[in-house]
Short mmCIF file of all heavy atoms in Angstrom, two decimals:
data_model
loop_
_atom_site.label_atom_id
_atom_site.label_comp_id
_atom_site.label_asym_id
_atom_site.label_seq_id
_atom_site.Cartn_x
_atom_site.Cartn_y
_atom_site.Cartn_z
N SER I 40 -4.02 5.58 0.20
CA SER I 40 -3.39 4.47 0.91
C SER I 40 -2.62 3.61 -0.10
O SER I 40 -2.89 3.64 -1.30
CB SER I 40 -4.42 3.63 1.66
OG SER I 40 -5.35 3.06 0.75
N GLY I 41 -1.67 2.87 0.42
CA GLY I 41 -0.91 1.91 -0.37
C GLY I 41 -0.91 0.59 0.39
O GLY I 41 -0.90 0.58 1.62
N ILE I 42 -0.94 -0.51 -0.33
CA ILE I 42 -1.02 -1.82 0.30
C ILE I 42 0.28 -2.57 0.07
O ILE I 42 0.69 -2.79 -1.07
CB ILE I 42 -2.22 -2.62 -0.25
CG1 ILE I 42 -3.52 -1.88 0.06
CG2 ILE I 42 -2.23 -4.03 0.33
CD1 ILE I 42 -4.74 -2.46 -0.60
N VAL I 43 0.92 -2.93 1.17
CA VAL I 43 2.15 -3.73 1.14
C VAL I 43 1.88 -4.99 1.94
O VAL I 43 1.44 -4.92 3.09
CB VAL I 43 3.34 -2.97 1.76
CG1 VAL I 43 4.59 -3.82 1.75
CG2 VAL I 43 3.59 -1.66 1.02
N THR I 44 2.11 -6.14 1.34
CA THR I 44 1.91 -7.42 2.02
C THR I 44 3.16 -8.27 1.91
O THR I 44 4.02 -8.03 1.06
CB THR I 44 0.72 -8.19 1.42
OG1 THR I 44 0.98 -8.44 0.04
CG2 THR I 44 -0.58 -7.43 1.58
N TYR I 45 3.25 -9.25 2.77
CA TYR I 45 4.35 -10.20 2.69
C TYR I 45 3.85 -11.54 3.23
O TYR I 45 2.83 -11.61 3.90
CB TYR I 45 5.56 -9.72 3.49
CG TYR I 45 5.31 -9.58 4.97
CD1 TYR I 45 5.58 -10.65 5.83
CD2 TYR I 45 4.80 -8.42 5.51
CE1 TYR I 45 5.36 -10.54 7.19
CE2 TYR I 45 4.57 -8.30 6.87
CZ TYR I 45 4.85 -9.37 7.70
OH TYR I 45 4.62 -9.25 9.04
N SER I 46 4.58 -12.59 2.89
CA SER I 46 4.21 -13.91 3.40
C SER I 46 5.42 -14.83 3.34
O SER I 46 6.40 -14.54 2.62
CB SER I 46 3.06 -14.51 2.58
OG SER I 46 3.52 -14.94 1.32
N PRO I 47 5.37 -15.92 4.08
CA PRO I 47 6.46 -16.89 4.01
C PRO I 47 6.39 -17.73 2.73
O PRO I 47 7.34 -18.40 2.37
CB PRO I 47 6.25 -17.75 5.25
CG PRO I 47 4.80 -17.65 5.55
CD PRO I 47 4.39 -16.28 5.10
N GLY I 48 5.27 -17.68 2.06
CA GLY I 48 5.06 -18.49 0.87
C GLY I 48 5.26 -17.73 -0.43
O GLY I 48 5.65 -16.57 -0.44
N PRO I 49 4.93 -18.35 -1.55
CA PRO I 49 5.22 -17.79 -2.87
C PRO I 49 4.27 -16.69 -3.34
O PRO I 49 4.56 -16.02 -4.32
CB PRO I 49 5.11 -19.00 -3.80
CG PRO I 49 4.13 -19.91 -3.13
CD PRO I 49 4.38 -19.71 -1.64
N TRP I 50 3.14 -16.45 -2.65
CA TRP I 50 2.18 -15.49 -3.16
C TRP I 50 2.31 -14.10 -2.57
O TRP I 50 1.65 -13.18 -3.00
CB TRP I 50 0.76 -16.02 -2.99
CG TRP I 50 0.57 -17.34 -3.66
CD1 TRP I 50 0.41 -18.55 -3.07
CD2 TRP I 50 0.61 -17.58 -5.07
NE1 TRP I 50 0.32 -19.54 -4.00
CE2 TRP I 50 0.45 -18.97 -5.25
CE3 TRP I 50 0.76 -16.78 -6.19
CZ2 TRP I 50 0.43 -19.57 -6.50
CZ3 TRP I 50 0.73 -17.38 -7.44
CH2 TRP I 50 0.57 -18.74 -7.58
N GLY I 51 3.14 -13.93 -1.58
CA GLY I 51 3.43 -12.60 -1.06
C GLY I 51 2.27 -11.90 -0.40
O GLY I 51 2.24 -10.68 -0.31
N GLY I 52 1.28 -12.64 0.07
CA GLY I 52 0.14 -12.02 0.74
C GLY I 52 -0.86 -11.39 -0.21
O GLY I 52 -1.69 -10.59 0.21
N GLN I 53 -0.82 -11.74 -1.48
CA GLN I 53 -1.71 -11.10 -2.46
C GLN I 53 -3.17 -11.42 -2.22
O GLN I 53 -4.03 -10.59 -2.51
CB GLN I 53 -1.29 -11.48 -3.89
CG GLN I 53 0.03 -10.86 -4.30
CD GLN I 53 0.01 -9.35 -4.19
OE1 GLN I 53 -0.81 -8.68 -4.80
NE2 GLN I 53 0.88 -8.80 -3.37
N ARG I 54 -3.46 -12.59 -1.68
CA ARG I 54 -4.86 -12.89 -1.35
C ARG I 54 -5.36 -11.94 -0.28
O ARG I 54 -6.48 -11.45 -0.35
CB ARG I 54 -5.00 -14.34 -0.92
CG ARG I 54 -4.78 -15.31 -2.04
CD ARG I 54 -4.99 -16.75 -1.57
NE ARG I 54 -4.58 -17.66 -2.62
CZ ARG I 54 -3.78 -18.69 -2.43
NH1 ARG I 54 -3.30 -18.96 -1.24
NH2 ARG I 54 -3.45 -19.46 -3.43
N ALA I 55 -4.53 -11.67 0.71
CA ALA I 55 -4.91 -10.73 1.77
C ALA I 55 -5.05 -9.32 1.20
O ALA I 55 -5.92 -8.56 1.61
CB ALA I 55 -3.88 -10.74 2.89
N ALA I 56 -4.19 -8.97 0.25
CA ALA I 56 -4.23 -7.63 -0.34
C ALA I 56 -5.59 -7.36 -0.99
O ALA I 56 -6.09 -6.24 -0.92
CB ALA I 56 -3.12 -7.46 -1.36
N MET I 57 -6.17 -8.36 -1.61
CA MET I 57 -7.47 -8.19 -2.25
C MET I 57 -8.55 -7.83 -1.21
O MET I 57 -9.40 -6.98 -1.45
CB MET I 57 -7.89 -9.44 -3.04
CG MET I 57 -6.95 -9.78 -4.20
SD MET I 57 -6.79 -8.47 -5.41
CE MET I 57 -5.18 -7.83 -5.06
N SER I 58 -8.50 -8.48 -0.05
CA SER I 58 -9.46 -8.18 1.00
C SER I 58 -9.20 -6.82 1.62
O SER I 58 -10.14 -6.08 1.93
CB SER I 58 -9.39 -9.25 2.10
OG SER I 58 -9.77 -10.50 1.59
N ILE I 59 -7.94 -6.49 1.80
CA ILE I 59 -7.58 -5.19 2.37
C ILE I 59 -8.02 -4.06 1.45
O ILE I 59 -8.48 -3.02 1.91
CB ILE I 59 -6.06 -5.13 2.66
CG1 ILE I 59 -5.71 -6.11 3.76
CG2 ILE I 59 -5.63 -3.72 3.03
CD1 ILE I 59 -4.23 -6.35 3.91
N GLN I 60 -7.89 -4.28 0.15
CA GLN I 60 -8.29 -3.25 -0.82
C GLN I 60 -9.77 -2.92 -0.68
O GLN I 60 -10.15 -1.74 -0.66
CB GLN I 60 -7.97 -3.76 -2.23
CG GLN I 60 -8.06 -2.71 -3.28
CD GLN I 60 -7.58 -3.24 -4.63
OE1 GLN I 60 -7.86 -4.38 -4.99
NE2 GLN I 60 -6.87 -2.41 -5.36
N VAL I 61 -10.60 -3.91 -0.54
CA VAL I 61 -12.04 -3.70 -0.36
C VAL I 61 -12.30 -2.93 0.94
O VAL I 61 -13.09 -1.99 0.97
CB VAL I 61 -12.80 -5.04 -0.37
CG1 VAL I 61 -14.26 -4.85 0.00
CG2 VAL I 61 -12.67 -5.71 -1.73
N MET I 62 -11.60 -3.30 2.01
CA MET I 62 -11.78 -2.63 3.28
C MET I 62 -11.37 -1.16 3.19
O MET I 62 -12.05 -0.27 3.71
CB MET I 62 -10.96 -3.32 4.38
CG MET I 62 -11.19 -2.73 5.75
SD MET I 62 -10.27 -3.55 7.05
CE MET I 62 -8.61 -3.04 6.66
N CYS I 63 -10.27 -0.87 2.50
CA CYS I 63 -9.84 0.52 2.31
C CYS I 63 -10.90 1.33 1.57
O CYS I 63 -11.19 2.47 1.95
CB CYS I 63 -8.51 0.57 1.57
SG CYS I 63 -7.09 0.06 2.53
N HIS I 64 -11.48 0.75 0.55
CA HIS I 64 -12.54 1.44 -0.19
C HIS I 64 -13.72 1.73 0.73
O HIS I 64 -14.28 2.84 0.68
CB HIS I 64 -13.01 0.62 -1.38
CG HIS I 64 -12.08 0.68 -2.55
ND1 HIS I 64 -11.95 1.80 -3.34
CD2 HIS I 64 -11.22 -0.23 -3.05
CE1 HIS I 64 -11.06 1.57 -4.29
NE2 HIS I 64 -10.60 0.35 -4.14
N GLU I 65 -14.11 0.78 1.56
CA GLU I 65 -15.22 0.99 2.50
C GLU I 65 -14.92 2.10 3.49
O GLU I 65 -15.82 2.84 3.88
CB GLU I 65 -15.55 -0.31 3.24
CG GLU I 65 -16.30 -1.30 2.40
CD GLU I 65 -17.68 -0.81 1.99
OE1 GLU I 65 -18.40 -0.23 2.82
OE2 GLU I 65 -18.03 -1.00 0.82
N LEU I 66 -13.67 2.22 3.91
CA LEU I 66 -13.28 3.27 4.85
C LEU I 66 -13.15 4.64 4.18
O LEU I 66 -13.08 5.65 4.86
CB LEU I 66 -11.97 2.92 5.54
CG LEU I 66 -12.03 1.75 6.53
CD1 LEU I 66 -10.63 1.35 6.95
CD2 LEU I 66 -12.86 2.14 7.73
N GLY I 67 -13.07 4.65 2.86
CA GLY I 67 -12.93 5.91 2.14
C GLY I 67 -11.49 6.32 1.88
O GLY I 67 -11.24 7.40 1.37
N CYS I 68 -10.54 5.47 2.23
CA CYS I 68 -9.15 5.80 1.92
C CYS I 68 -8.77 4.99 0.67
O CYS I 68 -8.58 3.79 0.70
CB CYS I 68 -8.20 5.52 3.09
SG CYS I 68 -8.11 3.83 3.65
N LEU I 69 -8.72 5.68 -0.42
CA LEU I 69 -8.57 5.02 -1.72
C LEU I 69 -7.15 4.51 -1.93
O LEU I 69 -6.20 5.28 -1.88
CB LEU I 69 -8.95 5.99 -2.82
CG LEU I 69 -10.37 6.55 -2.71
CD1 LEU I 69 -10.62 7.56 -3.81
CD2 LEU I 69 -11.39 5.45 -2.72
N PRO I 70 -6.99 3.20 -2.16
CA PRO I 70 -5.66 2.66 -2.40
C PRO I 70 -5.19 2.94 -3.82
O PRO I 70 -6.00 2.96 -4.76
CB PRO I 70 -5.84 1.16 -2.16
CG PRO I 70 -7.28 0.89 -2.39
CD PRO I 70 -8.01 2.17 -2.08
N VAL I 71 -3.91 3.18 -3.98
CA VAL I 71 -3.34 3.35 -5.32
C VAL I 71 -3.37 2.01 -6.03
O VAL I 71 -3.50 0.96 -5.40
CB VAL I 71 -1.91 3.94 -5.26
CG1 VAL I 71 -1.92 5.33 -4.67
CG2 VAL I 71 -0.96 3.03 -4.50
N SER I 72 -3.24 2.02 -7.34
CA SER I 72 -3.38 0.79 -8.10
C SER I 72 -2.20 -0.16 -7.94
O SER I 72 -2.36 -1.37 -8.06
CB SER I 72 -3.59 1.11 -9.59
OG SER I 72 -2.45 1.78 -10.11
N LYS I 73 -1.02 0.35 -7.67
CA LYS I 73 0.15 -0.50 -7.52
C LYS I 73 0.16 -1.17 -6.16
O LYS I 73 0.00 -0.52 -5.13
CB LYS I 73 1.43 0.34 -7.70
CG LYS I 73 2.70 -0.47 -7.70
CD LYS I 73 2.78 -1.34 -8.92
CE LYS I 73 4.09 -2.11 -8.95
NZ LYS I 73 4.11 -3.05 -10.04
N LEU I 74 0.32 -2.49 -6.15
CA LEU I 74 0.43 -3.25 -4.92
C LEU I 74 1.88 -3.70 -4.77
O LEU I 74 2.59 -3.86 -5.76
CB LEU I 74 -0.45 -4.50 -4.95
CG LEU I 74 -1.95 -4.29 -5.07
CD1 LEU I 74 -2.64 -5.63 -5.27
CD2 LEU I 74 -2.49 -3.61 -3.84
N CYS I 75 2.31 -3.92 -3.54
CA CYS I 75 3.65 -4.45 -3.29
C CYS I 75 3.49 -5.71 -2.45
O CYS I 75 3.07 -5.63 -1.30
CB CYS I 75 4.51 -3.42 -2.56
SG CYS I 75 6.16 -4.02 -2.17
N GLY I 76 3.77 -6.85 -3.04
CA GLY I 76 3.69 -8.12 -2.34
C GLY I 76 5.08 -8.75 -2.29
O GLY I 76 5.73 -8.88 -3.32
N ILE I 77 5.51 -9.10 -1.11
CA ILE I 77 6.85 -9.67 -0.95
C ILE I 77 6.72 -11.14 -0.58
O ILE I 77 6.36 -11.48 0.55
CB ILE I 77 7.64 -8.89 0.12
CG1 ILE I 77 7.73 -7.43 -0.28
CG2 ILE I 77 9.02 -9.51 0.31
CD1 ILE I 77 8.34 -6.53 0.75
N PRO I 78 6.97 -12.04 -1.54
CA PRO I 78 6.87 -13.47 -1.26
C PRO I 78 8.13 -14.00 -0.59
O PRO I 78 9.20 -13.38 -0.68
CB PRO I 78 6.72 -14.08 -2.65
CG PRO I 78 7.50 -13.15 -3.52
CD PRO I 78 7.30 -11.79 -2.93
N SER I 79 8.00 -15.12 0.09
CA SER I 79 9.15 -15.77 0.74
C SER I 79 10.01 -14.73 1.44
O SER I 79 11.21 -14.61 1.21
CB SER I 79 9.96 -16.55 -0.28
OG SER I 79 9.14 -17.46 -0.98
N VAL I 80 9.38 -13.99 2.33
CA VAL I 80 9.99 -12.82 2.95
C VAL I 80 11.32 -13.15 3.64
O VAL I 80 12.25 -12.34 3.61
CB VAL I 80 9.00 -12.11 3.89
CG1 VAL I 80 8.72 -12.94 5.12
CG2 VAL I 80 9.48 -10.73 4.26
N SER I 81 11.44 -14.32 4.22
CA SER I 81 12.68 -14.66 4.93
C SER I 81 13.85 -14.87 3.97
O SER I 81 15.01 -14.80 4.39
CB SER I 81 12.49 -15.92 5.78
OG SER I 81 12.17 -17.02 4.97
N GLU I 82 13.55 -15.07 2.69
CA GLU I 82 14.62 -15.21 1.70
C GLU I 82 15.01 -13.85 1.11
O GLU I 82 16.10 -13.71 0.56
CB GLU I 82 14.17 -16.15 0.57
CG GLU I 82 13.93 -17.57 1.03
CD GLU I 82 13.32 -18.42 -0.05
OE1 GLU I 82 13.35 -18.02 -1.24
OE2 GLU I 82 12.80 -19.50 0.29
N LEU I 83 14.13 -12.86 1.21
CA LEU I 83 14.40 -11.55 0.62
C LEU I 83 14.91 -10.52 1.62
O LEU I 83 15.63 -9.60 1.24
CB LEU I 83 13.13 -11.00 -0.04
CG LEU I 83 12.63 -11.77 -1.25
CD1 LEU I 83 11.33 -11.17 -1.76
CD2 LEU I 83 13.66 -11.78 -2.34
N LEU I 84 14.50 -10.66 2.89
CA LEU I 84 14.88 -9.69 3.91
C LEU I 84 15.55 -10.38 5.09
O LEU I 84 15.18 -11.50 5.45
CB LEU I 84 13.65 -8.93 4.42
CG LEU I 84 12.82 -8.19 3.38
CD1 LEU I 84 11.58 -7.60 4.02
CD2 LEU I 84 13.64 -7.10 2.70
N THR I 85 16.50 -9.69 5.71
CA THR I 85 17.12 -10.21 6.92
C THR I 85 16.17 -10.00 8.10
O THR I 85 15.14 -9.33 7.97
CB THR I 85 18.45 -9.48 7.22
OG1 THR I 85 18.16 -8.11 7.54
CG2 THR I 85 19.41 -9.56 6.04
N ALA I 86 16.52 -10.52 9.25
CA ALA I 86 15.70 -10.35 10.45
C ALA I 86 15.58 -8.88 10.83
O ALA I 86 14.59 -8.45 11.43
CB ALA I 86 16.29 -11.14 11.61
N GLU I 87 16.56 -8.06 10.45
CA GLU I 87 16.53 -6.62 10.72
C GLU I 87 15.72 -5.84 9.69
O GLU I 87 15.50 -4.64 9.84
CB GLU I 87 17.95 -6.05 10.77
CG GLU I 87 18.78 -6.54 11.95
CD GLU I 87 19.29 -7.96 11.75
OE1 GLU I 87 19.57 -8.35 10.59
OE2 GLU I 87 19.39 -8.68 12.75
N GLY I 88 15.31 -6.51 8.60
CA GLY I 88 14.51 -5.86 7.58
C GLY I 88 15.27 -5.32 6.40
O GLY I 88 14.69 -4.69 5.52
N THR I 89 16.57 -5.54 6.35
CA THR I 89 17.35 -5.08 5.20
C THR I 89 17.32 -6.13 4.09
O THR I 89 17.27 -7.34 4.38
CB THR I 89 18.81 -4.78 5.60
OG1 THR I 89 19.39 -5.95 6.17
CG2 THR I 89 18.89 -3.64 6.59
N PRO I 90 17.34 -5.70 2.84
CA PRO I 90 17.29 -6.66 1.73
C PRO I 90 18.54 -7.54 1.68
O PRO I 90 19.65 -7.07 1.86
CB PRO I 90 17.23 -5.78 0.49
CG PRO I 90 16.82 -4.44 0.97
CD PRO I 90 17.30 -4.32 2.38
N VAL I 91 18.33 -8.83 1.44
CA VAL I 91 19.45 -9.75 1.22
C VAL I 91 20.11 -9.38 -0.11
O VAL I 91 21.33 -9.31 -0.19
CB VAL I 91 18.95 -11.22 1.20
CG1 VAL I 91 20.06 -12.16 0.80
CG2 VAL I 91 18.38 -11.59 2.57
N ASP I 92 19.30 -9.13 -1.12
CA ASP I 92 19.78 -8.71 -2.44
C ASP I 92 18.97 -7.48 -2.86
O ASP I 92 17.84 -7.62 -3.35
CB ASP I 92 19.62 -9.84 -3.45
CG ASP I 92 20.00 -9.45 -4.87
OD1 ASP I 92 20.58 -8.35 -5.07
OD2 ASP I 92 19.72 -10.24 -5.79
#
Side-chain angles (χ1 to χ4, degrees):
S40 62
I42 299 172
V43 178
T44 60
Y45 63 92
S46 74
W50 302 110
Q53 291 303 302
R54 291 182 188 131
M57 297 302 106
S58 296
I59 293 167
Q60 192 173 40
V61 172
M62 185 179 70
C63 287
H64 282 288
E65 283 296 317
L66 290 170
C68 61
L69 303 177
V71 296
S72 63
K73 186 68 177 174
L74 298 173
C75 178
I77 302 173
S79 306
V80 70
S81 62
E82 296 173 16
L83 295 176
L84 303 175
T85 66
E87 292 77 32
T89 57
V91 173
D92 176 10

